[in-house]
Amino acid sequence: TEMGCLSLIVLGASGDLAKKKTFPALFNLFRQGFLQSNEVHIFGYARTKLSDDDLRERIRGYLSKGASSEDLEILSDFLKHIKYVSGGYDSAEGFLSLNKEISEHELAKNSYGSSRRLFYLALPPSVYPSVCKMIKSYCMNQAVPTGWTRIVVEKPFGKDLASAEELSAQLGELFDEPQLYRIDHYLGKELVQNLLVLRFANRFFLPLWNRDNIHNIQIVFREDFGTEGRGGYFDEYGIIRDIIQNHLLQVLCLVAMEKPVSLRPEHIRDEKVKVLQSVLPINNDEVVLGQYEGYKDDPTVSKDSNTPTFATIVLRIHNERWEGVPIIMKAGKALSSRKAEIRVQFKDVPGDIFRCKKQGRNEFVIRLQPKEAMYMKLTVKKPGLDMSTIQSELDLSYGQRYQDVPIPEAYERLILDTIRGDQQHFVRRDELRAAWEIFTPLLHDIDDGKMKPVPYKPGSRGPHEADELVAKTGYVQTHGY
Ligand code: BG6
């Protein structure tokens, strides 16, 4: 562990992301002793005029909900470490006073020479360039050689290839890649982090994980609520930019990549980027877009919006392992249930003497949420006197198997990584570029109105056209688990 004092600077401290994710994660880390309490200071920065106590009381308001009395005590202690500075996102004055506060804290802790500064941009990306310029000009950590300055940014990183490249270039001029942490919180989920272990530490999977044995792979994200409250943001982006281009594609990388040379972050990301570069251009005939009925009733959504709230897209990976295996990416809002899972469907058993094909194929399912689990669907003899078969499961449900182990929130884990300087679970610049390359032509076709979403009923499975597309890939629906 590194020594020296730690300054965590939350820019956008009065916003929604800070409230929902950043401060809760920081508090949980603090509670578990991961932020050495004497040395850490948290600085909130935003335009709103607030006093230190105003911000503390706001944070207490949302973090105290449902907390035990013990936690409430820790919370009071946590809040003592928080200060607030108000200022604009392009205001030299604001960032100078922020720097002054941080430096005072470092001096007071007598560790000016080895201090660490982590800037967390809980802000809309439109202000990233100006905020980063301000940090670079006024708030850099001068501590050499042991101190550091790191920047954490949140998606969306651009809207298409060109805008993402522009943003990358702007940030790249100010900071080196090892200083930049692009968060994709799906990479912080327990079962996503488990993927490499599963694939490369189990003899079971090594020989099977390829086109000879796997028929198709589905990566699915469903939510049972719409875009309420964030229609303005969502309408500009849509489900592909919001979920598929980042979260689901990152999951796909880990499912499809070759074995990295080692667990070093660069080795892992080298393999991920190769997967992305091997994805063939999307065929628009293998795309179904949907928009739920009522989406446009939101006053912040444009009346003639062409934005998809649902998409099913078949990707094709052009390499030795995956050629010919349809990769079905599916994401939707306002559907019947909330679920994220990876479903690997194996090929039929040749020469099926049991005639059990109709019951379905072997599948390996990794459920990311809710209720983390992984299970293998397999055919077994139906217990009893008859010689018939049924589909059953080998089931590892985390709630049962690991009852006493709380599963950390994605943000907790990722913020801890940024403090530790581990970039494995963050998106590298070349990954980002390759990810945008895949989706940009389709996104432009949607933006130009050449591709249109079909309506679907909120609370449904999404448009039936999507099920038809999936059936066309040869996927066989088995009984629901
Ligand atoms: C965010 C998207 O990145 O992920 C949201 O912007 C989405 O639209 C959310 O609801 C889903 O995250 P999780 O962790 O709840 O699956």
Side-chain angles (χ1 to χ4, degrees), residues 155 185-186 189 221 223 230 233 242-243 247 333 338 369:
K155 72 170 228 300
H185 78 283
Y186 266 60
K189 291 191 188 274
F221 167 96
E223 260 177 358
R230 43 203 298 268
Y233 151 78
D242 191 46
I243 303 289
H247 302 328
K333 298 245 170 203
R338 173 168 181 266
Q369 64 191 37

Side-chain angles (χ1 to χ4, degrees), residues 177-183 187 196 250 253-254 257-258 260-277 421-432 434:
E177 192 61 24
Q179 296 180 291
L180 287 171
Y181 287 74
R182 298 180 192 84
I183 283 205
L187 293 176
L196 286 194
Q250 285 294 324
C253 286
L254 296 168
M257 69 189 245
E258 297 302 316
V261 175
S262 78
L263 290 179
R264 275 175 39 199
E266 296 321 318
H267 285 157
I268 291 173
R269 299 192 294 176
D270 286 347
E271 295 305 329
K272 287 169 67 193
V273 83
K274 285 186 209 162
V275 175
L276 297 172
Q277 289 168 342
D422 182 348
Q423 289 195 307
Q424 172 178 338
H425 305 292
F426 294 81
V427 181
R428 205 167 64 184
R429 181 173 172 175
D430 53 348
E431 278 182 81
L432 182 66

Side-chain angles (χ1 to χ4, degrees), residues 11 45 88-96 98-99 119 121 123 125-140 149 151 153 166-167 169-175 180:
L11 299 135
Y45 185 92
Y89 295 119
D90 54 0
S91 149
E93 204 192 332
F95 280 84
L96 277 168
L98 178 61
N99 186 57
F119 291 86
L121 276 58
L123 291 169
S126 52
V127 300
Y128 288 176
S130 73
V131 167
C132 286
K133 255 185 227 147
M134 291 293 134
I135 295 172
K136 177 83 183 188
S137 311
Y138 305 111
C139 297
M140 288 302 281
T149 304
I151 312 287
V153 285
E166 191 188 330
L167 181 62
Q170 285 168 329
L171 301 193
E173 262 175 39
L174 300 165
F175 298 102
L180 287 171

